[in-house]
Each structure stands twice: as structure tokens, then as C-alpha cells.
Amino acid sequence: MYIQLLLTGISMGMLYALMAMGLIFIVKAVGVLNFAHGQLFMLGGYIAWMYTYQAGLPLIGVVICTIITFALLGVLYMFTVYWPLRNSKWKVTVTISTIGASIALKELVRIIWGSIPLTLEPIYSDILRVGTAYLNYQYLFIIGIGGILIFGVYVLFEKTFIGKIMQATAQDRYAAELLGVPTIVAISCTYMISLCLSGLGGWLAAPLFLVSQSLGSMAQKAFAGIVLGGFGNVKGAIIGCLLIGLIESFSVIITDSYKDAVVFLVLIIVLVVKPTGILGQNIYEKA
Amino acid sequence: MKNNKIETIKLVGYILKIFIFIMVFTVIPNKSVTNNYMMKVINEGLVYFIAVLGLSVILGMGGQVTFSTAGIMGFGAYICAILTTRYEIHTLTALLIALFIGGILSYLIGLALFRLKGTYFAFASIGLTQLLSTVMSNWVEVTGGPDGIGKIPKLDIFVFRCTNYYEYFRVYSVIALLCGFFVQRIRKTNLGRALVSIRDDELAAQCMGVNVYHTKVLSFLISGVFACLAGGLYAFHSGYISPEPFSFDQSAIYLIMIMLGGVDSTFGAFIGAMLLTILPEKMRFLAEYYKLIYGAGVIVLMVVMPMGIMGLYNNLQHRIHNIIKKRKQGEVEELRGEVADIGGDFIRS
């Protein structure tokens, strides 16, 4: 039973981590909280469902098409929700416009696909037996694919040229512009990667939770993971999210209905004891 | 002479405002003007206005984005409901107790959460709302779980016993007006100015000797008390509460309300709250597309008028003033020109 809880916890943590990474990239690049991230995650599930059943593509095709769709959507999203507001004095306006986007996305999905939950077949539909525990193979796939994606994004950011451009833009946009970095490209790329991560996360999560509008509420756990892990660093956010996943799955031992409350209670206790989060140093927000 | 003129204009303005308020106060709560359902909607708008006022202190003056409004509002509502239904305490006493406990709670939460800054404070306030709403929907013995609490008695402030929505409107509009004056007053105190300085530049505020942390906590306390008041009034007004109207989504709606009305002004908060409560009722013909248009509208709103309706209004006013000023200057220039022609160059220097 403990192995089962451990594995489900880690895989849930992976899903949160995929979202949290995207969120952190956007926060670092443009200093904006993206409240539509949960809805984009949900959209990932729906898009994957569309490619599997409505277009009838094989698995590989679904993955590639989902990535391409979300990359395009990332650019579109950037130009509608962030770009017109980039010069506004108040960062709050961009935050509010992402809330607007989240409402619009939710309703768009409801109008197109209806409000009845849809089922998506898991990648390999069988159940693994570990001792006395039963585990859906999908959880293992989530851990595997999530790990690969996180590693891939790490390589992309640290080792490639475009990654350095994105980092430069995130650190100091003005200086980057002076050095001739095309910041518009860099920000677009950041949005593309961020949305692809959440879209693929939605595709991975869909077989476990049904494709429905309530998938969007998972983003709040990703928020919690970011705060728990520490300030604005990606490593901290991933560790925080994995912890949130584990806390959530192990809290079943104590209580069933208070699963969410336990998560947020731990979060607030950690904040009171160590306000910089687990991995946080004393980095203050950029002025 | 000029001062006298301005004084008179101001006085006329005040009289006009009082007159409009009395008109609204007497005309709207009539069966022939607004039907029962519409009255209920307007009352809810007033309640939301009080909650949004709290936001206008913490966000409009202090610049801190918080998603805790709905959660704390729910806290106040549940305390009022539990005290009046289980322990049969008088409604006004219950409301005051709720305000007191809510104030203490939000002070303590503020102490904890404001150790975080900016965006991360917003993250943590989401956690708080989630925590509160999970407790509300799961602690069945106390909160009634998803079924909520029913049969909450009607509000009773000694002389004013509210029995129908029309009487509620009279009481609530006075309360809302007092709250509005209170916030308007805060703007001109030390606290208000300190908050504005924090919003504009935290580091500079600190250099000027503003205790940033404490000021933020104080603003959170004020907004928490407002939210509790709104929650209590909401509970007495509807007579039934469930966890649903105190969820995270509702907090986002409060934020949209204040951004729509104008983050910088008290009257803007009123316009925003009223518009977003009444508009859905008037837009019924859009049916399922309403929310889609609403969401897209929020984005467009932020692009077109980031400071909300009152911001737009102030902007227009400013421009008109400028035009008038220019015209007057033009006249002065003409006069000067004539004088210069007659009297030589010394006036210009």
C-alpha cells in the first residue's frame, strides 16, 4: 500500500511540477502570474481527446500534434493576453487579463465539447501488481514522461542558444534588448514551452481523471508547490510540487475528505516557519 | 472672489450628491420601480461592494493582489450563521462578534503571509482561500458541508427590523455609504498615504520611514474586516449559505469588479460591483455565450482602460480641463500681446 501511495504521490507531483515549471518560466520572463494555466492544462486533455477520437491519430501523432497545437497556442496566447498590456504601469492588469482568459477558455471548451466528462484511453491499459498493491500503468508513464520533459527543458534552458536568450530576457529585459536579443522571440518561446508543458500534462492526466472542466482546478496545487518549494527557482518548484503530491497522497492515511485542506495547511505552516520556502534563499522580488 | 466661486461649486456638488442619494434611497425600494427579484440582486451588489471596498484598500492603495476576499467573507458569513442558528444570539451581536474574530484572524494571517512579497503573497492567499473553502465544505458537523446552513434569522438592528428585500436595501445602502466614507477617509490619513507610497515604490517608502510590513498587515486587517462584514450581511440577506459563493473563483470576480470600476476610487468600486452583479441578469439573452464574452471582455477591458471606468472618467476630465486651460492661456496670451504692443517688452520678462 505504501508503494502505491508513494508512486501515485510522485506521479501527481510530476503533473503539478509540469504546470509549476511553466508558471515559473512566465513569472520569471514577464513577471506575471498566469491564472489560465489550469485551464490550459484542461485544454491539453481535450485537445488530446480530439486528436485520438475525432481525428483518429495514432499515439505518436497525438503527441506531436498536441505539441504543435500548444506551441501555436502559446504564441497566440502571448499576443492576446500579454503583448497588448506589456507597457502598462500596473502588473495587476496582466494578471486580471489572464483571469479573463481562464474564464473564456473554460467556456469555450464547454461550448465546443459539452460539459459531460469524456474518457481517454491510457497509454497502456493494464494494471500493475506490486505485492498486494494495484497500480495503473499510467502513473508510471507519467513519472517517466514527466522526468524526460523536465530534463529536456533543463537541457534546453541551460545548454542551448535559445535557452540562453530566454534566460537573458528573464534576468533583465532592458539589458538584453540593448545587447540585441530579440526579446519578443524569447518571450514567445517561453510561452510556447510553458504551454506545451501544461498541454502535455493535461494529456497525461486525462486518462486518470476523465477529461472534464474540473481538471483546471489542479493548477492551485501547482501554485502551492511553487510557494512551498521556494522563491522563483525552478528546482525548488519541482521539489515543492513533488512534496505536495506526496503529502496529498499520504494524507489519505489520516483523513479522506480533508486531502486539500492538509496540503494547504502544510503550505501555510511552512510559510509561517520559513517564509522563503524549503529551498529558498533570501532573494527578493525584482523591483 | 475665485475661491468663493470654487466653494460654491463644491457646495452645489455636495447638495446634488445628497439629493441624488435621497432620490435613490426613496425611489428604488418601491414595488413599482424594482421587482422583488431585482431588489435582491441590487442588495447582493451592495454586499459585494462592501467586500470590494476592502480590496480597494489593499489593492487600490497598497498594490497587493490578494485572493483571500471570498475566503474571509465566507469565514464571517459562517460565524454569523452558526452563532445565530445554533446559539440563538441576537443578529447584531453575532455580526459584531464576527467582525471582531475576523479582524483578529486576518491580522494573524496578515502577519504570516506578508513575510512573502508581491506575486508570492498572491500565491499564498490562494492557498488560504482554498484552505478555508475546503474546511467549509468538509467540516459537516459545524458548517453543514456542501448543504450549508439554512434558516438564518433576518437582520435586526434594534429599530430597523429587515423583513423583506426592500427594507434590506434601505439598511444596506446606509451601511455601504458609511463604509464608503470610511475608505474615502482612509485615503487622506497617514495610513492611506503610506500604502500609496508602498504601491508606487516599496524601497522608496521604506527609505522615507514607512514601516512597510506593518502597514501591509494593517491594510490586510481592514480588508479582512470589510470582507467579514460583507459575509455577515450576505448570510442575513439570503438566509442560507453554502461553500459555493466563497470559493476561489468568486475572489477572482471581486478582483475583476474593482479593476472594472477603477482601482483608484471608492465610487469606482461601487460601479464595478453593481455592474458585474446586474449585468448578468440583463444579459440573459446571450445564454451560454455570456461567460465566453465576459472572459474575452475582461481582456479587452484591461487593454482599453487599465484604470477602469473611473480611470477613464478622470482621464477625460483631465483632458477637458487641459483644453479649457489652453483656451484661457490663449486669451491671456492675446491680452499680453496687446499689452506688449502698447507698453513695451518688460511684461514678458
Side-chain angles (χ1 to χ4, degrees):
Chain A
M1 182 188 174
Y2 286 105
I3 296 173
Q4 194 181 349
L5 287 181
L6 185 74
L7 285 175
T8 44
I10 291 176
S11 68
M12 290 309 293
M14 263 321 174
L15 290 177
Y16 301 145
L18 288 179
M19 263 189 282
M21 276 170 80
L23 277 167
I24 287 274
F25 289 149
I26 294 182
V27 167
K28 279 182 125 181
V30 293
V32 165
L33 262 163
N34 184 18
F35 278 101
H37 225 76
Q39 273 63 42
L40 291 165
F41 184 79
M42 167 199 77
L43 193 66
Y46 276 98
I47 296 262
W49 186 85
M50 183 183 83
Y51 283 133
T52 335
Y53 293 106
Q54 290 181 323
L57 294 175
L59 188 68
I60 278 294
V62 171
V63 176
I64 292 170
C65 286
T66 309
I67 291 175
I68 292 171
T69 314
F70 270 87
L72 292 176
L73 201 68
V75 179
L76 183 74
Y77 186 76
M78 197 275 275
F79 275 106
T80 46
V81 178
Y82 168 68
W83 196 249
L85 291 161
R86 67 191 182 284
N87 289 330
S88 125
K89 270 186 292 175
W90 273 62
K91 279 280 159 62
V92 187
T93 54
V94 195
T95 307
I96 302 289
S97 86
T98 65
I99 293 176
S102 85
I103 296 170
L105 275 173
K106 209 171 170 180
E107 289 307 305
L108 194 70
V109 163
R110 202 173 56 82
I111 288 167
I112 297 175
W113 286 287
S115 44
I116 304 160
L118 308 166
T119 45
L120 186 67
E121 279 286 301
I123 298 171
Y124 181 70
S125 52
D126 200 358
I127 286 170
L128 179 71
R129 287 186 58 179
V130 187
T132 54
Y134 291 89
L135 197 68
N136 200 325
Y137 266 109
Q138 185 75 16
Y139 285 111
L140 299 179
F141 274 111
I142 289 174
I143 297 173
I145 297 174
I148 293 169
L149 280 175
I150 289 169
F151 182 71
V153 170
Y154 167 76
V155 169
L156 188 73
F157 262 79
E158 299 293 331
K159 307 286 179 210
T160 63
F161 181 65
I162 186 83
K164 291 206 172 106
I165 284 181
M166 280 187 267
Q167 282 200 17
T169 312
Q171 276 169 13
D172 193 333
R173 185 137 137 238
Y174 182 64
E177 263 169 19
L178 284 182
L179 290 171
V181 171
T183 48
I184 179 169
V185 176
I187 292 172
S188 305
C189 280
T190 314
Y191 267 88
M192 273 157 72
I193 292 170
S194 160
L195 260 69
C196 280
L197 283 176
S198 73
L200 286 175
W203 164 64
L204 286 170
L208 296 174
F209 300 98
L210 298 176
V211 187
S212 74
Q213 272 118 49
S214 59
L215 271 183
S217 62
M218 280 173 72
Q220 270 131 26
K221 300 279 172 55
F223 287 141
I226 290 172
V227 181
L228 191 67
F231 276 2
N233 59 30
V234 179
K235 210 194 288 171
I238 293 168
I239 291 172
C241 283
L242 289 177
L243 270 177
I244 292 273
L246 286 174
I247 292 167
E248 192 186 21
S249 82
F250 275 96
S251 66
V252 176
I253 299 172
I254 314 164
T255 159
D256 204 17
S257 49
Y258 284 109
K259 235 163 70 171
D260 295 348
V262 170
V263 171
F264 292 112
L265 194 67
V266 168
L267 172 72
I268 287 181
I269 290 171
V270 169
L271 287 183
V272 172
V273 177
K274 193 169 185 300
T276 47
I278 293 169
L279 268 195
Q281 303 101 24
N282 279 320
I283 306 167
Y284 288 103
E285 221 195 25
K286 272 188 289 187
Chain B
M1 165 70 185
K2 205 183 171 191
N3 270 339
N4 271 342
K5 220 175 181 177
I6 291 169
E7 296 273 294
T8 343
I9 291 171
K10 267 190 179 170
L11 198 67
V12 170
Y14 280 133
I15 292 170
L16 210 65
K17 273 177 194 165
I18 292 167
F19 184 68
I20 289 172
F21 179 74
I22 291 170
M23 284 289 285
V24 167
F25 190 72
T26 48
V27 170
I28 286 184
N30 278 320
K31 282 212 168 66
S32 51
V33 182
T34 35
N35 59 27
N36 206 28
Y37 180 68
M38 208 57 214
M39 201 69 250
K40 181 172 180 258
V41 172
I42 291 175
N43 286 346
E44 275 171 9
L46 284 173
V47 170
Y48 295 151
F49 164 61
I50 295 170
V52 171
L53 271 180
L55 263 183
S56 96
V57 174
I58 194 164
L59 174 69
M61 293 186 214
Q64 308 295 316
V65 183
T66 172
F67 286 87
S68 60
T69 318
I72 294 177
M73 193 173 156
F75 183 79
Y78 270 97
I79 285 198
C80 283
I82 290 164
L83 284 179
T84 47
T85 53
R86 278 276 152 88
Y87 302 100
E88 284 164 4
I89 292 173
H90 190 264
T91 48
L92 188 63
T93 329
L95 190 62
L96 291 178
I97 292 172
L99 288 188
F100 185 67
I101 300 177
I104 292 173
L105 177 89
S106 39
Y107 183 72
L108 293 177
I109 290 171
L111 283 180
L113 294 194
F114 274 116
R115 297 168 76 176
L116 298 164
K117 289 197 172 184
T119 312
Y120 299 95
F121 167 72
F123 275 138
S125 72
I126 297 170
L128 174 70
T129 304
Q130 290 292 334
L131 180 68
L132 284 170
S133 76
T134 321
V135 171
M136 279 174 220
S137 50
N138 283 311
W139 199 5
V140 180
E141 303 89 69
V142 176
T143 64
D147 299 336
I149 300 175
K151 288 180 188 156
I152 301 165
K154 304 235 177 270
L155 186 63
D156 178 7
I157 309 179
F158 305 122
V159 200
F160 306 103
R161 281 194 64 112
C162 304
T163 48
N164 56 34
Y165 289 139
Y166 298 94
E167 282 167 12
Y168 267 113
F169 175 80
R170 294 201 180 98
V171 174
Y172 280 17
S173 55
V174 173
I175 295 176
L177 195 73
L178 290 178
C179 291
F181 275 128
F182 182 68
V183 170
Q184 199 64 25
R185 182 77 203 114
I186 290 177
R187 272 175 215 285
K188 287 170 187 153
T189 58
N190 262 351
L191 176 68
R193 291 200 198 96
L195 273 172
V196 170
S197 72
I198 289 171
R199 178 189 73 192
D200 291 340
D201 193 335
E202 209 168 308
L203 195 65
Q206 211 155 19
C207 293
M208 300 299 284
V210 174
N211 188 339
V212 172
Y213 175 65
H214 201 74
T215 314
K216 281 180 182 173
V217 173
L218 218 54
S219 76
F220 194 78
L221 165 70
I222 293 170
S223 82
V225 170
F226 272 118
C228 268
L229 177 63
L233 295 181
Y234 181 91
F236 293 130
H237 177 257
S238 57
Y240 161 78
I241 50 169
S242 65
E244 201 237 344
F246 308 118
S247 63
F248 166 75
D249 292 343
Q250 191 67 28
S251 276
I253 290 176
Y254 293 137
L255 277 179
I256 295 172
M257 277 176 186
I258 190 164
M259 295 303 283
L260 170 70
V263 82
D264 248 358
S265 87
T266 316
F267 190 61
F270 177 73
I271 293 178
M274 277 300 170
L275 265 185
L276 272 194
T277 357
I278 296 174
L279 219 56
E281 305 298 330
K282 298 284 175 199
M283 293 291 191
R284 281 282 160 83
F285 62 92
L286 287 172
E288 57 174 354
Y289 293 99
Y290 166 70
K291 278 231 166 154
L292 180 64
I293 294 168
Y294 170 64
V298 171
I299 302 175
V300 175
L301 176 83
M302 288 301 107
V303 176
V304 180
M305 38 184 193
M307 295 308 275
I309 292 171
M310 283 314 279
L312 198 70
Y313 171 75
N314 286 341
N315 223 339
L316 281 179
Q317 213 179 24
H318 196 70
R319 271 190 202 170
I320 291 168
H321 267 279
N322 270 354
I323 290 169
I324 292 170
K325 226 184 196 175
K326 265 186 192 163
R327 269 202 198 145
K328 271 188 185 163
Q329 261 177 359
E331 279 171 20
V332 172
E333 291 288 306
E334 267 174 33
L335 274 177
R336 271 189 185 167
E338 279 171 24
V339 171
D341 284 340
I342 300 163
D345 283 342
F346 67 93
I347 293 172
R348 247 185 269 229
S349 63

